[in-house]
């Protein structure tokens, strides 16, 4: 079962320099079971720093992070099981298409499984399955990743992670820079992976995505965890949003307007335009 | 006068293997009046960014003709024409050159040999315009993405360009940064009625700010017209994977569920009427 636990985690950049900058301050939370969660927060709130702790790219200055059975602490000692940790938690970074490097699409995606000591054959099979899942056609397998469009490259990069079949998939801004259809396809893919048992953690500025897909939201503000909320609660808390610099999805304003005009909508049900219209119909007895 | 005239423009990349050619733009023609603002929207791979690169001669066309400000774009004219163009790129980190905001805005002016005593005034003038006057001595690392893009815009505006290109200038910004840049773009238009603006964007709300939208699909102009006209073609847009801006999407969803209302009315009024119906 997937589990991420932060236990009083601090992280300071350039800790021994004259200008240390505190990026994370006393972060504690637990995500467990089967989750589809989001980390949100204003630029510079510590979101990306937090994610890098999850697969030990950065280690806490103080405190510890426990992912599954792995503990990542402040120690300098090498974490022996780091490979197996990274196999369990796949992190796809922002603008991941810039990280493609192999000669062909297929080689790029099989790099991960191969690296985790699968035989060439197994690695290729896993890569093929992953590419199929993200909707990359077979005729692309032998092409150079650099011949693909931006959206296709992004999907290849994600396939590289899926090929390792991680329990938890962490994605930093996976939809940024994609056209609406490309973004939708990627989100459908995450939903499918989630339904098949993978836990998903997304860092995003796209609040529509958060409202529609996520079941919980971690709100970061100035290096601290402000709280964990259900999207349908968070986006109605005006003062909190103002303080943390978060814009609610446009639909929230419409929900409030309807409520002010006498409709008693079930906020929990409203995740996008379709469900809003459905709720309005219900209220109007249509 | 026409600021931009593109006639029968084609471009393809060679894809290495078997010398196969990948068509990016195919026989594209359009023109832009001086002072007009145009948004290019289209799915990934539709040729938007390629078009921008051709217009600033970062790529060379296969066929066709590009005329900018009455002058044909070619080897002889490119240097002269580039002085009249400004470009805002997608990644705010890739275009910050100076060590401070002041140096960064001054960079272009220095290249143009503006006398030093005038430079400080010009820098201050444009820093004020983009709301960065209090940040003149700050380093880029202490700025947000939106602030960096505002500095880039100040640098571009200080050169008094006749044509400004914005190539997904907000794609890497958070919602607040995007809003800042959208507001600044509107202001830019108002203050410089003769400046021609071309933007490439995935955000339909940004396209709404422009006078005209050209939808690119597979290297061709798929739809073209005012935002109102383009966004009235929901089905055509959907077919190529594009979306409507939020308000229009909501109106369309309500219509499908047989709510009746006046489509030209403000969305808030429509919602109120529906609630009280």
């Amino acid at each position: 079962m997937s589990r991420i636990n932060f236990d009083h985690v601090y992280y300071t950049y350039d800790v021994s320099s004259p200008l240390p900058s505190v990026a994370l301050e006393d972060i504690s939370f637990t995500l467990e079971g089967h989750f589809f969660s989001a980390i949100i927060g204003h630029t510079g709130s510590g979101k990306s720093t937090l994610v890098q702790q999850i697969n030990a790219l950065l280690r806490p200055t103080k405190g510890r992070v426990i992912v599954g059975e792995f503990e990542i602490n402040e120690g300098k000692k090498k974490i022996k099981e780091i490979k197996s940790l990274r196999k369990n938690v796949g992190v796809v970074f922002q603008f991941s298409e810039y990280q493609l490097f192999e000669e062909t699409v297929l080689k790029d995606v099989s790099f991960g499984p191969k690296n985790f000591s699968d035989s060439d054959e197994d690695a290729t099979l896993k890569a093929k399955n992953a590419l199929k899942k993200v909707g990359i056609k077979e005729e692309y397998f032998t092409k150079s990743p650099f011949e693909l469009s931006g959206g296709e490259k992004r999907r290849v990069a994600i396939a590289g992670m899926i090929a390792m079949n991680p329990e938890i998939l962490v994605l930093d801004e996976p939809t940024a820079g994609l056209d609406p259809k490309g973004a939708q396809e990627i989100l459908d893919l995450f939903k499918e992976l989630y339904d098949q048992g993978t836990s998903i953690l997304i860092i995003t500025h796209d609040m529509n995505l958060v409202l529609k897909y996520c079941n919980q939201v971690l709100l970061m503000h100035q290096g601290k965890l402000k709280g964990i909320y259900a999207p349908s609660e968070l986006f109605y808390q005006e003062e909190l949003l103002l303080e943390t610099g978060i814009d609610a999805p446009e639909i929230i304003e419409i929900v409030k307007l309807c409520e002010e005009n006498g409709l008693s909508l079930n906020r929990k049900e409203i995740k996008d335009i379709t469900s809003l219209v459905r709720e309005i119909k219900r209220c109007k007895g249509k | 006068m026409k600021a931009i005239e593109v006639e029968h423009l084609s471009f393809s990349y060679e894809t290495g293997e078997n010398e196969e050619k990948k068509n990016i733009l195919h026989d594209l023609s359009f023109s832009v009046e001086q002072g007009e603002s145009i948004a290019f929207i289209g799915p990934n791979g539709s040729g938007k960014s390629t078009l921008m690169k051709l217009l600033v001669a970062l790529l060379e066309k296969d066929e066709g003709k590009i005329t900018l400000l009455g002058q044909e774009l070619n080897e002889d004219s490119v240097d002269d024409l580039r002085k009249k163009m400004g470009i805002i790129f997608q990644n705010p980190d890739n275009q910050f050159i100076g060590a401070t905001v002041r140096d960064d805005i001054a960079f272009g002016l220095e290249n143009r040999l503006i006398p030093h005593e005038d430079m400080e005034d010009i820098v201050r003038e444009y820093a004020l315009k983009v709301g960065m006057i209090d940040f003149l001595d700050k380093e880029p690392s202490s700025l947000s993405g939106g602030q960096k893009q505002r500095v880039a815009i100040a640098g571009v505006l200080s050169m008094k360009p006749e044509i400004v290109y914005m190539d997904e200038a907000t794609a890497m910004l958070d919602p607040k940064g995007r809003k800042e840049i959208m507001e600044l773009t509107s202001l830019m238009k108002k203050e410089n009625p003769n400046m021609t603006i071309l933007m490439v964007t995935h955000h339909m709300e940004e396209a709404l700010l422009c006078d005209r939208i050209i939808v690119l699909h597979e290297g061709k102009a798929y739809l073209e017209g005012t935002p109102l006209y383009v966004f009235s073609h929901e089905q055509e847009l959907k077919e190529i994977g594009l979306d409507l801006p939020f308000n229009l999407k909501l109106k369309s969803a309500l219509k499908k569920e047989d709510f009746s209302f006046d489509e030209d009315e403000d969305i808030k009024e429509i919602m109120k009427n529906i609630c009280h119906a």
Side-chain angles (χ1 to χ4, degrees):
Chain A
M1 193 177 68
S2 35
R3 181 167 188 271
I4 299 176
N5 169 238
F6 274 57
D7 183 13
H8 299 285
V9 171
Y10 291 75
Y11 187 81
T12 307
Y13 283 103
D14 303 323
V15 72
S16 53
S17 80
L19 287 167
S21 79
V22 179
L24 296 180
E25 211 179 324
D26 200 12
I27 308 279
S28 293
F29 68 88
T30 305
L31 295 177
E32 62 187 334
H34 187 210
F35 53 84
F36 199 135
S37 307
I39 304 180
I40 65 170
H42 200 257
T43 308
S45 61
K47 303 185 299 292
S48 292
T49 309
L50 190 149
V51 162
Q52 292 179 64
Q53 315 276 331
I54 296 178
N55 77 343
L57 273 179
L58 293 175
R59 292 173 70 171
T61 316
K62 212 173 114 190
R64 58 183 190 157
V65 177
I66 299 166
V67 179
E69 52 202 274
F70 306 100
E71 175 171 332
I72 306 156
N73 50 33
E74 67 213 71
K76 292 249 167 4
K77 220 175 73 189
K78 244 185 148 177
I79 305 169
K80 267 192 203 144
E81 313 88 353
I82 202 147
K83 259 196 170 177
S84 127
L85 161 70
R86 292 195 178 147
K87 207 176 155 184
N88 278 289
V89 186
V91 180
V92 180
F93 290 100
Q94 215 171 347
F95 289 89
S96 48
E97 57 271 28
Y98 295 135
Q99 293 159 35
L100 303 176
F101 67 98
E102 273 282 12
E103 272 169 40
T104 70
V105 166
L106 188 62
K107 276 190 192 170
D108 204 286
V109 177
S110 23
F111 180 82
K114 239 183 238 176
N115 210 14
F116 289 109
S117 60
D118 282 354
S119 72
D120 280 12
E121 241 169 59
D122 283 352
T124 308
L125 189 68
K126 282 182 186 168
K128 281 185 178 166
N129 284 334
L131 282 165
K132 222 175 271 168
K133 250 188 194 162
V134 300
I136 296 286
K137 291 187 210 118
E138 206 162 331
E139 63 212 67
Y140 282 72
F141 289 6
T142 53
K143 284 196 178 185
S144 156
F146 305 104
E147 288 173 35
L148 308 182
S149 75
E152 289 162 349
K153 281 187 205 165
R154 181 83 52 91
R155 277 186 275 164
V156 170
I158 292 171
M161 275 303 152
I162 296 177
M164 296 195 275
N165 195 21
E167 274 176 38
I168 306 172
L169 194 57
V170 184
L171 305 123
D172 194 351
E173 290 286 358
T175 55
L178 296 185
D179 59 44
K181 188 173 165 219
Q184 190 54 52
E185 282 168 1
I186 279 193
L187 289 167
D188 289 344
L189 169 70
F190 298 156
K191 181 77 174 58
E192 192 189 321
L193 289 169
Y194 172 72
D195 289 340
Q196 290 166 3
T198 313
S199 285
I200 311 268
L201 179 60
I202 290 186
I203 298 168
T204 186
H205 285 303
D206 181 352
M207 298 305 142
N208 292 312
L209 179 169
V210 173
L211 181 64
K212 186 164 178 189
Y213 291 94
C214 298
N215 36 42
Q216 60 188 168
V217 192
L218 284 77
L219 173 59
M220 294 291 295
H221 182 55
Q222 296 176 348
K224 291 182 191 144
L225 179 64
K226 199 80 193 169
I228 300 184
Y229 311 86
S232 58
E233 288 164 14
L234 173 67
F235 291 132
Y236 296 94
Q237 300 191 31
E238 273 171 52
E239 272 174 39
L240 180 64
L241 296 181
L242 199 65
E243 184 198 342
T244 51
I246 300 288
D247 283 330
E250 290 159 304
I251 200 166
I252 302 295
E253 209 182 311
I254 301 291
V255 173
K256 286 185 190 164
L257 183 82
C258 291
E259 288 177 342
E260 281 159 21
N261 285 280
L263 294 196
S264 48
L265 300 170
N266 185 353
R267 288 178 176 182
K268 263 192 196 151
E269 292 294 324
I270 299 169
K271 294 176 180 293
D272 56 12
I273 287 182
T274 315
S275 48
L276 168 67
V277 174
R278 199 187 310 131
E279 266 301 294
I280 294 175
K281 274 176 80 178
R282 186 188 59 80
C283 286
K284 300 301 291 180
K286 263 183 104 163
Chain B
M1 190 180 69
K2 292 212 180 344
I4 300 173
E5 226 175 337
V6 168
E7 296 159 83
H8 308 292
L9 184 66
S10 293
F11 181 81
S12 55
Y13 284 108
E14 278 185 31
T15 61
E17 268 173 70
N18 338 316
E19 308 275 305
E20 197 185 317
K21 284 204 166 183
K22 194 174 175 188
N23 262 320
I24 306 292
L25 292 177
H26 189 72
D27 196 19
L28 179 69
S29 300
F30 66 88
S31 64
V32 183
E33 295 293 325
Q34 204 168 15
E36 208 183 1
S37 58
I38 303 264
F40 285 91
I41 60 177
N44 288 108
S46 60
K48 305 181 302 289
S49 293
T50 304
L51 175 64
M52 286 286 149
K53 285 180 188 141
L54 288 165
L55 289 174
V56 296
L58 284 173
L59 285 175
E60 210 179 315
K61 63 188 188 300
D62 292 346
E63 271 169 63
K65 189 174 163 192
I66 298 173
T67 310
L68 301 174
L69 305 161
Q71 225 178 332
E72 186 177 347
L73 179 66
N74 55 31
E75 262 177 54
D76 298 326
S77 65
V78 63
D79 287 341
D80 184 40
L81 282 172
R82 277 216 182 119
K83 287 183 191 140
K84 297 172 182 167
M85 314 190 248
I87 314 171
I88 322 283
F89 292 101
Q90 183 186 86
N91 190 334
D93 292 314
N94 287 354
Q95 50 190 324
F96 211 105
I97 304 154
T100 63
V101 169
R102 175 184 278 108
D103 288 356
D104 197 76
I105 300 176
F107 181 81
L109 299 168
E110 277 173 352
N111 272 346
R112 300 248 167 123
L113 308 175
I114 303 289
H116 202 270
E117 53 272 27
D118 300 339
M119 215 177 308
E120 176 68 14
D121 285 344
I122 301 177
V123 167
R124 294 188 70 85
E125 180 190 341
Y126 286 94
L128 191 67
K129 273 196 178 41
V130 301
M132 291 298 289
I133 191 77
D134 295 331
F135 295 83
L136 281 176
D137 294 312
K138 296 274 188 208
E139 293 166 25
S141 62
S142 63
L143 305 180
S144 71
Q147 289 171 332
K148 282 181 205 166
Q149 286 301 60
R150 270 150 59 186
V151 174
I153 291 174
V156 162
L157 290 183
S158 73
M159 320 280 280
K160 299 199 165 50
E162 293 183 46
I163 305 176
V164 173
Y165 300 100
M166 304 177 83
D167 191 1
E168 294 197 53
T170 65
M172 293 179 91
L173 305 182
D174 61 18
K176 192 166 163 255
R178 187 179 316 141
K179 221 191 277 167
E180 286 169 19
I181 300 305
M182 280 169 68
E183 281 163 11
L184 187 54
T185 311
S186 304
L187 188 77
M188 221 160 86
K189 273 181 62 177
K190 220 166 68 193
E191 287 193 349
N192 308 281
N194 284 323
M195 200 166 71
T196 308
I197 302 175
L198 252 73
M199 64 162 79
V200 164
T201 182
H202 279 313
H203 292 281
M204 302 305 143
E205 267 74 18
E206 286 168 28
L208 273 180
L209 294 177
C210 292
D211 302 324
R212 191 148 58 99
I213 296 176
I214 298 179
V215 184
L216 284 183
H217 179 52
E218 293 176 345
K220 289 183 188 158
Y222 177 81
L223 261 179
E224 184 180 338
T226 61
L228 211 63
Y229 173 81
V230 167
F231 288 128
S232 67
H233 292 72
E234 188 185 4
Q235 201 47 45
E236 286 88 340
L237 292 172
K238 230 182 209 163
E239 266 165 37
I240 61 165
L242 295 181
D243 229 344
L244 295 181
F246 175 80
N247 286 351
L248 298 176
K249 217 164 37 179
L250 180 55
K251 283 184 192 177
S252 156
L254 289 166
K255 217 167 82 181
K256 270 183 209 138
E257 293 296 337
D258 297 327
F259 286 99
S260 51
F261 52 86
D262 176 3
E263 282 194 54
D264 295 331
E265 215 170 358
D266 181 66
I267 189 72
K268 287 188 179 162
E269 285 310 311
I270 293 175
M271 295 315 292
K272 273 185 206 163
N273 291 335
I274 285 177
C275 290
H276 294 297

